[in-house]
Amino acid sequence: GIPFPNRFFDVTLCNFVLMFIEDSKREYVLDELMRTTNRFLIIETNPKKYEVKKKTFHKEYNFKEIVKYIEKSSDFELLQVREYYEKITARRK
């Protein structure tokens, strides 16, 4: 996991990382991001509008599934979801 205690960061920023995480581990990474966030969580992925080169470590992902996963959390509320830019801003309740 992330080597920080629960609710350690007031703002947790995860830019252009989740699309490199294996599908089977993505929820674990999201859980760790939420666990270490005290106030705001900002996630941004790589919008599908940009061509991804075949020789990268980019994994297939579904942005809407990431949104749904955070939305299911009883500890967080979504403040802004920008699907076109694939950006999420969430706040701990």
Side-chain angles (χ1 to χ4, degrees):
I2 299 174
F4 291 97
N6 295 348
R7 298 182 179 200
F8 186 78
F9 300 107
D10 282 337
V11 178
T12 304
L13 181 62
C14 179
N15 277 354
F16 307 109
V17 173
L18 291 178
M19 66 269 202
F20 298 107
I21 305 297
E22 293 287 338
D23 201 30
S24 62
K25 296 180 182 177
R26 196 167 292 119
E27 287 182 1
Y28 174 75
V29 172
L30 288 168
D31 287 339
E32 283 294 287
L33 291 170
M34 290 188 286
R35 178 187 68 77
T36 58
T37 299
N38 186 40
R39 291 183 154 184
F40 296 99
L41 174 61
I42 302 167
I43 295 174
E44 192 168 4
T45 58
N46 189 16
K48 302 267 191 225
K49 65 181 181 173
Y50 298 115
E51 188 65 33
V52 178
K53 294 179 182 178
K54 291 183 180 182
K55 294 186 179 183
T56 69
F57 294 103
H58 188 277
K59 309 293 183 207
E60 286 298 317
Y61 69 94
N62 184 329
F63 180 73
K64 289 182 182 183
E65 292 299 318
I66 295 170
V67 173
K68 285 180 190 176
Y69 190 78
I70 295 171
E71 197 171 38
K72 285 190 318 188
S73 169
S74 60
D75 292 336
F76 281 84
E77 63 180 332
L78 295 173
L79 297 178
Q80 183 180 53
V81 176
R82 299 179 73 189
E83 286 189 33
Y84 182 76
Y85 297 104
E86 292 192 1
K87 185 173 181 179
I88 301 166
T89 304
R91 174 177 55 198
R92 185 175 289 281
K93 294 179 182 176

